[in-house]
Amino acid sequence: MILSRREALVLALGSVAAAAIPMSALASVDEAVAAFTGGAAVTDGAGVTLTAPEIAENGNTVPVSVAAPGASSILILAAGNPTPAVATFNFGELAGAHAASTRIRLSKTQDVVAIAKLADGTFVRTSSEVKVTIGGCGG
């Protein structure tokens, strides 16, 4: 196979672009949780509240709210999406409320997971299954 100069340049630029893709974009749910927690244990239970609809007619805009009184940061994950890490909210000492809401895109029926880092350094997790009738990530 003989490559022209133009084809070699295109291949070189393509490989540089592929190397520039952040590894976090290719991470799985476990890797995203480990990166957020630093490998610390995550407990299920009280401390974080996740509000998401049981059924989303359209996966393009699914409203999600999360609250964790006393949290310094909250991570939201969509376990079935190609890129599971959806959002990270960081709260300062002067934050009036440790809550946030957003709209996320879900590709299919899946669990939405919220992990909160509390002020004492512990991590608390909760999840909610959202049934999607029309997928939002090309589905």
Side-chain angles (χ1 to χ4, degrees), residues 60 105 135-139:
N60 281 323
R105 181 176 273 182
C137 295

Side-chain angles (χ1 to χ4, degrees), residues 25-91:
L26 304 173
S28 70
V29 174
D30 294 334
E31 292 170 346
V33 170
F36 181 70
T37 63
V42 180
T43 60
D44 291 332
V48 61
T49 304
L50 175 66
T51 306
E54 287 184 32
I55 299 174
E57 292 183 15
N58 187 346
N60 281 323
T61 56
V62 179
V64 175
S65 299
V66 65
S72 60
S73 59
I74 301 173
L75 172 68
I76 298 177
L77 300 164
N81 278 1
T83 306
V86 175
T88 302
F89 300 101
N90 296 308
F91 304 104

